[in-house]
Amino acid sequence: MEGTGSSGGAASSVVADWSLVFWTLCAVILPVLITLWCSFQRSRRQVLIRDIFRKSKHDWHYTDLFGQPSYCCVCAQHILQGAFCNCCGLRVSEGCLKKADQLFLCKEIMMRSNGGAHSSMPHHWIRGNVPLCSCCMICKQQCGTQPKLCDYRCVWCQYTVHDECMMDCLKTEECTFGEFKDLIIPPYYLSTINQMRKDKRTNYEKVVPYCRKHWMPVIILANTRSGNNMGETLLGEFKILLNPVQVFDLSKIAPAKALHLCTLLPCNAVRVLVCGGDGTVGWVLDAIDEMKIKGQERYIPQVAILPLGTGNDLSNTLGWGAGYAGEVPVEQILRNVMEADGIKLDRWKVQVTNKGYYNLRKPKVFTMNNYFSIGPDALMALNFHAHREKTPSLFSSRIINKAVYFFYGTKDCLVQECKDLNKKVELELDGERIELPNLEGIIVLNIGYWGGGCRLWEGMGDEPYPLARHDDGLLEVVGVHGSFHCAQIQVKLANPVRLGQAHTVRLILKSSKMPMQVDGEPWAQGPCTVTITHKTHALMLYHSGEQTDDDASSMSEQDHMREQTDEDV
């Protein structure tokens, strides 16, 4: 009996042990299987969503959290996440995505031809998710106040209408394109141009009356990789307000191809808004120079700037501000573009010829819009670029970028890598040799601002100095004693060493290797001759709406500049 009892106890113990093992395995394996299954379903769902996005005529983008209360345009349910169209503004839940693609048309960039010419088009109404604080065009009361899918918005003129105010006549009424009618390229214009191209006719000016009298179509060129990475958001906001065909992502299409649209628009009427840093602006201006070479001078656009870079000195000089972080609505930016005045900007050719008897390489040639420098500020830019190339993910913020510049500037104050520059270089202004004092850097300026917002040529403003303009064919040449001297100038505690103004600047680096930069693009340069000569003019837009204390002293100068431009025109 005892043996039987002990064997039964042993058997139950084994069963208990196996039971423990089984449930332990279940506890470990089951969550893993559930996780794998969820991961598989999620990846499968993402593939299906991407497939719908790829085939759709809508410009769908997926978001995990909408920035304002949103309702699905298909099932009318409240949604926290889902897809939205960057062009027409539709918002749908993930499950209704395919159905929304079938039910709703997106903005048509070109009207479908039915054999006749068009000079108007009806409203394109979308129900629900109207902008906050929008008013009904019929009763003038606020729209979108109810917590449900309600009210209508026209994707072209942006007018909103209450559900109860919507009448049959509004559905067929001609769309006026709203506040920005003078900036929008209407779909019927493009369909007419397309038909003319098929008929091999190029007199596009005759199509302008189909649009409106004071038409100044705008082209948006946004660099999504600039500065604070706001380009992607801006692309969507501009596509909502304008014809999507007017909005280009420079990370996907080169400026030269985007500017081909200018040749299909009225002569001397197009305005271009460049969203990016000074480097992006230079890239676009180079593409415009190519248009001149091709004989397309009459299609040359005027250029405005929305500053997304780090320094933004050219933007600051032209009145567009030192940096954009979303504080101004996109609608106001378009108003500023409409109201801006046209001016000219000098562009300069910088030729760097290496020294040496056996040098067979061609001279390096750059185009300068802002400034050329040799010395401590070029060294800071060179160190910054080397650091950014190693870890580009760290440099997505304008504040971080400026902090890194500050670090390298402080380091140079201690090390003084560019000292005794006056013994290493010779400077000629319009062929006349300049005797240099003890310097660490030389800066050649074309514009008023330098170093992220400093008016270098003016300095403290307590000494008389010749006026500096960016359309007079003259360059301003200054010297600095080092990084600490640069910092003093930026906070108006010191003046630069003004070396003079000239139409042609020649700098000879006799020995050693020195850092140089043109418009923030740095490199290390050995013995060479640098020659800076006038290249051409660029047509820019000047915004006079925002003026700082530093700008007040140069207001009369800018007014004179615009008067001179008007006389030239």
Side-chain angles (χ1 to χ4, degrees):
M1 293 293 292
E2 290 180 2
T4 305
S6 63
S7 63
S12 61
S13 176
V14 170
V15 171
D17 290 343
W18 278 108
S19 177
L20 180 62
V21 170
F22 172 76
W23 289 112
T24 303
L25 288 174
C26 287
V28 173
I29 294 174
L30 192 59
V32 172
L33 291 175
I34 293 173
T35 303
L36 291 174
W37 183 82
C38 291
S39 179
F40 171 75
Q41 290 295 326
R42 182 179 177 85
S43 61
R44 185 176 170 222
R45 192 173 74 245
Q46 288 175 345
V47 169
L48 291 173
I49 290 174
R50 281 198 297 267
D51 189 54
I52 295 173
F53 284 7
R54 183 173 52 84
K55 295 177 180 178
S56 176
K57 291 185 178 180
H58 288 275
D59 185 16
W60 293 117
H61 287 261
Y62 192 83
T63 180
D64 289 325
L65 183 65
F66 286 109
Q68 67 180 68
S70 300
Y71 299 87
C72 177
C73 291
V74 177
C75 65
Q77 296 299 311
H78 180 261
I79 52 176
L80 294 176
Q81 61 182 31
F84 65 95
C85 177
N86 256 347
C87 296
C88 65
L90 270 180
R91 300 187 181 196
V92 296
S93 63
E94 188 179 312
C96 298
L97 187 57
K98 198 167 185 177
K99 195 172 182 180
D101 218 30
Q102 298 168 350
L103 289 176
F104 301 105
L105 292 174
C106 193
K107 271 186 175 181
E108 286 186 305
I109 63 174
M110 185 186 301
M111 284 188 73
R112 294 168 185 161
S113 176
N114 55 6
H118 296 273
S119 60
S120 65
M121 59 183 287
H123 289 289
H124 180 167
W125 297 105
I126 293 290
R127 188 162 185 255
N129 302 307
V130 299
L132 300 175
C133 301
S134 57
C135 293
C136 176
M137 64 180 290
I138 303 298
C139 67
K140 309 303 179 185
Q141 297 299 312
Q142 187 173 344
C143 287
T145 55
Q146 301 180 56
K148 64 178 183 178
L149 187 75
C150 62
D151 304 338
Y152 290 85
R153 174 182 62 87
C154 175
V155 300
W156 287 105
C157 63
Q158 309 303 322
Y159 289 159
T160 54
V161 180
H162 288 123
D163 288 334
E164 55 272 20
C165 296
M166 175 60 75
M167 298 175 286
D168 290 339
C169 61
L170 283 177
K171 295 180 181 179
T172 56
E173 185 183 69
E174 178 183 331
C175 181
T176 62
F177 293 94
E179 180 184 0
F180 303 113
K181 58 183 181 293
D182 290 332
L183 299 180
I184 295 173
I185 301 176
Y188 55 77
Y189 174 86
L190 292 175
S191 60
T192 306
I193 294 297
N194 189 46
Q195 186 60 45
M196 292 180 69
R197 294 182 72 185
K198 289 179 181 178
D199 299 338
K200 297 183 178 179
R201 291 180 292 153
T202 57
N203 51 339
Y204 303 145
E205 289 81 0
K206 294 183 178 180
V207 189
V208 176
Y210 284 139
C211 302
R212 46 201 61 89
K213 189 174 180 181
H214 303 290
W215 192 36
M216 51 174 80
V218 66
I219 297 174
I220 309 295
L221 304 179
N223 188 350
T224 55
R225 298 172 183 170
S226 286
N228 53 5
N229 296 322
M230 284 200 62
E232 194 73 40
T233 303
L234 288 168
L235 281 172
E237 293 182 356
F238 282 121
K239 284 180 180 178
I240 289 283
L241 296 174
L242 306 171
N243 190 330
V245 79
Q246 300 172 244
V247 184
F248 296 91
D249 183 353
L250 293 182
S251 66
K252 297 178 181 177
I253 185 170
K257 287 187 177 181
L259 291 172
H260 180 68
L261 182 58
C262 295
T263 62
L264 305 179
L265 298 168
C267 302
N268 304 316
V270 181
R271 298 191 166 198
V272 169
L273 175 62
V274 180
C275 307
D278 288 347
T280 304
V281 177
W283 189 19
V284 173
L285 294 181
D286 288 340
I288 292 175
D289 285 346
E290 290 178 17
M291 293 177 66
K292 296 177 184 177
I293 296 172
K294 294 175 182 176
Q296 298 173 343
E297 289 91 346
R298 59 188 183 140
Y299 299 113
I300 297 299
Q302 294 176 304
V303 180
I305 306 171
L306 183 62
L308 303 182
T310 302
N312 304 311
D313 291 307
L314 180 57
S315 168
N316 218 353
T317 299
L318 299 179
W320 296 100
Y324 178 76
E327 66 278 3
V328 179
V330 172
E331 292 84 355
Q332 185 58 47
I333 294 169
L334 292 177
R335 293 184 197 108
N336 294 342
V337 172
M338 284 195 289
E339 297 166 0
D341 302 314
I343 62 169
K344 290 182 178 179
L345 172 72
D346 289 323
R347 303 193 77 213
W348 300 83
K349 175 184 174 183
V350 180
Q351 181 171 301
V352 182
T353 307
N354 293 319
K355 283 188 175 183
Y357 294 105
Y358 303 105
N359 181 35
L360 301 177
R361 287 184 295 177
K362 291 182 180 179
K364 289 186 282 189
V365 178
F366 305 89
T367 300
M368 182 183 86
N369 302 311
N370 299 2
Y371 37 72
F372 163 87
S373 70
I374 176 173
D377 68 320
L379 179 62
M380 283 187 281
L382 185 62
N383 288 330
F384 174 83
H385 277 256
H387 199 164
R388 183 165 64 177
E389 285 179 4
K390 290 180 181 177
T391 53
S393 59
L394 295 177
F395 295 85
S396 58
S397 165
R398 190 181 291 128
I399 295 176
I400 293 175
N401 294 351
K402 290 190 175 184
V404 174
Y405 265 105
F406 175 77
F407 168 76
Y408 283 118
T410 306
K411 176 184 173 185
D412 186 64
C413 288
L414 303 174
V415 180
Q416 294 184 321
E417 294 182 37
C418 302
K419 63 182 179 181
D420 298 327
L421 179 68
N422 53 298
K423 298 177 183 178
K424 302 172 185 177
V425 302
E426 293 179 5
L427 178 66
E428 295 179 6
L429 303 182
D430 289 336
E432 181 180 345
R433 174 87 178 270
I434 303 297
E435 290 297 327
L436 297 175
N438 185 23
L439 297 173
E440 286 191 27
I442 295 173
I443 304 166
V444 182
L445 298 162
N446 179 46
I447 61 175
Y449 284 91
W450 163 88
C454 169
R455 298 189 72 90
L456 182 61
W457 179 252
E458 295 178 11
M460 296 170 64
D462 60 342
E463 298 177 353
Y465 55 87
L467 283 177
R469 291 177 18 201
H470 44 258
D471 69 337
D472 57 358
L474 281 174
L475 292 166
E476 287 70 48
V477 185
V478 302
V480 292
H481 297 302
S483 296
F484 187 68
H485 186 209
C486 290
Q488 287 180 308
I489 297 171
Q490 287 186 320
V491 295
K492 292 185 174 294
L493 291 178
N495 286 313
V497 181
R498 299 186 186 93
L499 300 174
Q501 293 176 297
H503 297 89
T504 302
V505 175
R506 191 164 176 261
L507 188 144
I508 303 169
L509 179 59
K510 297 181 289 187
S511 61
S512 74
K513 195 176 246 189
M514 293 293 292
M516 294 184 180
Q517 71 157 335
V518 174
D519 290 352
E521 298 299 325
W523 74 98
Q525 178 65 49
C528 67
T529 299
V530 179
T531 307
I532 306 177
T533 54
H534 192 269
K535 179 182 179 182
T536 185
H537 281 104
L539 299 178
M540 308 298 291
L541 289 170
Y542 180 86
H543 173 51
S544 56
E546 296 179 5
Q547 293 293 332
T548 63
D549 294 338
D550 288 343
D551 295 328
S553 62
S554 60
M555 276 293 291
S556 59
E557 170 193 338
Q558 302 292 354
D559 293 338
H560 172 73
M561 191 186 316
R562 288 195 292 276
E563 290 171 6
Q564 186 68 34
T565 302
D566 293 339
E567 291 174 6
D568 293 340
V569 174

